[in-house]
Amino acid sequence: MLKDIFGQAWEAMLYNRRRTTITMVGMAWGIATVVLLLAYGAGFTRAIEAIFSQWGTNIIGVFPGRTSEQAGGDKAGVQVRLTQEDIDRIVAAVPGINHISPMAFKDVTVQNDLHSYTWTVNGTRAVFQDIWKLDTDSGRFFNATEEQQRAHVCVIGSEAKTKLFSGQWAIGQTIRLNGVHFIIVGVLTPKMQEGEDSDRNRQIYIPFSTMSDLTDTKYLGGLWFNYQGNYQLIEQNVRATLASAHHFRPSDHNAIYVANLLTQLHQFSILSMALQILLAFVGTLTLGIAGIGLMNIMLVAVQQRTREIGIEKALGAQRKHILTQFLSEAMVITGVGGFCGVGLAYLISVLVGRIPFYSEIALHAQDADIQLIISPISVVVATIILVLTGLVSGMIPAIRAANLDPIEALRYE
């Protein structure tokens, strides 16, 4: 029975090739739009994640501030000063921390025999490489032994290497930091950098113990750590621990500044989700327009085949048979158009390739550009929208055909 019904639907489509083709093109364009918009939304989300993942997402930085609330007998406006004892407090009181490092930084004169610049030098522990994902392009990062020995070794950024040594080999060369000699043991892989003014790839890293040769390290410029667990709970525990030690309220966010990358990523994720919902809605509206075209075509088909419907009913065809016949014709058009539309979307995604996004404003940021990669989830969502559109668009003409009075239909000219 179904074979005969679909056979009739196929014959009717072949009889009106031009009309059927135009309708299929509309459906194909609609479904391609849905799939591509969903792919763009997913690509935008991946681009945001790539920007954050270059540093690692499960990391938190803590920096000293000034209190803005009274706590006990202490007035507001007290400067909070972090020390290495705070690192021990955090490790003892906050579970889930993997690596933690103090940080001291200072802008100093960086020189070799030919060049002189003023760049930022960071004093950290060796584990800072794991915390901030500082991969080396050549050489290595300094190790814990060199930190204990207060070794005068350093790791330089990729741009610092280019400016100091051009194309020459930098490992083993000596540079002067405020007149103090340091041996280069590693050159870092370039990070994403927003314009020439950013010094992200010009910074230099030395052991924290050696940093005391350049500046006073009694009070920390900040500290960084990576962790496992709930990012909000970790931040709360850190604030509570330092608040107890430095006599400020945990709710006083000006006393210490906490840079929680997962909090920022979560905020961007909400925006990305809203964008994907908006794009899916726009795509659905586009497909809905194609569905209206399908509905109009099917209504015309019902009108043109009114006499045929009357004959079928006179020969014993039931209401459900007529309903299935026209609904199947609409679904065949929808299915073929949808299949072609998904294929068109894949073709466009391959031809378009990478869409410049962050790389337009940042260097070394090709990984953060948008890729129109069509996921199976996008195809499934688009297919569901397509089926619903086809059912709604085909159901109204099919119901109208099924409700025709056979006597009136046979009189129709």
Side-chain angles (χ1 to χ4, degrees), residues 150-374:
R150 301 186 73 254
H152 283 206
V153 294
C154 66
V155 179
I156 65 175
S158 58
E159 188 179 347
K161 182 261 181 186
T162 301
K163 288 183 175 294
L164 288 171
F165 301 102
S166 299
Q168 298 179 9
W169 186 251
I171 306 302
Q173 298 289 336
T174 299
I175 59 174
R176 297 185 299 277
L177 307 179
N178 265 7
V180 181
H181 288 76
F182 283 79
I183 298 175
I184 299 172
V185 296
V187 177
L188 298 176
T189 302
K191 294 286 189 180
M192 297 181 189
Q193 173 181 320
E194 295 182 7
E196 296 291 339
D197 294 335
S198 172
D199 68 343
R200 184 170 294 172
N201 290 311
R202 295 196 296 267
Q203 296 192 17
I204 297 174
Y205 299 87
I206 66 174
F208 184 81
S209 57
T210 314
M211 188 68 182
S212 60
D213 292 345
L214 304 180
T215 187
D216 184 6
T217 58
K218 178 181 178 181
Y219 298 113
L220 308 180
L223 59 91
W224 286 91
F225 61 86
N226 56 1
Y227 61 91
Q228 294 177 337
N230 184 284
Y231 68 97
Q232 294 174 321
L233 182 60
I234 294 287
E235 179 177 340
Q236 291 174 5
N237 290 337
V238 169
R239 287 188 180 277
T241 300
L242 294 179
S244 175
H246 293 275
H247 310 291
F248 64 84
R249 297 178 184 272
S251 60
D252 188 355
H253 286 202
N254 292 322
I256 56 170
Y257 172 68
V258 178
N260 194 333
L261 266 67
L262 268 183
T263 299
Q264 300 175 32
L265 180 59
H266 180 67
Q267 293 170 349
F268 276 106
S269 297
I270 294 174
L271 294 176
S272 299
M273 180 62 68
L275 175 64
Q276 292 187 62
I277 293 173
L278 175 62
L279 292 176
F281 178 71
V282 172
T284 302
L285 290 180
T286 304
L287 188 57
I289 295 173
I292 293 173
L294 173 63
M295 184 187 302
N296 289 333
I297 292 299
M298 293 305 300
L299 287 172
V300 171
V302 171
Q303 185 178 12
Q304 291 178 343
R305 294 160 61 185
T306 299
R307 188 174 180 84
E308 175 189 331
I309 295 170
I311 294 173
E312 290 180 0
K313 283 196 169 186
L315 293 176
Q318 298 179 14
R319 183 175 179 274
K320 63 180 181 180
H321 297 150
I322 304 299
L323 182 67
T324 306
Q325 178 183 343
F326 281 89
L327 186 59
S328 63
E329 184 175 337
M331 293 308 297
V332 169
I333 294 175
T334 301
V336 175
F339 180 81
C340 295
V342 172
L344 176 64
Y346 273 103
L347 177 62
I348 293 175
S349 68
V350 172
L351 294 177
V352 170
R354 180 176 56 87
I355 301 176
F357 174 53
Y358 195 54
S359 63
E360 287 296 302
I361 60 174
L363 303 174
H364 316 294
Q366 287 76 15
D367 290 342
D369 284 338
I370 296 174
Q371 299 279 349
L372 292 180
I373 301 175
I374 300 173

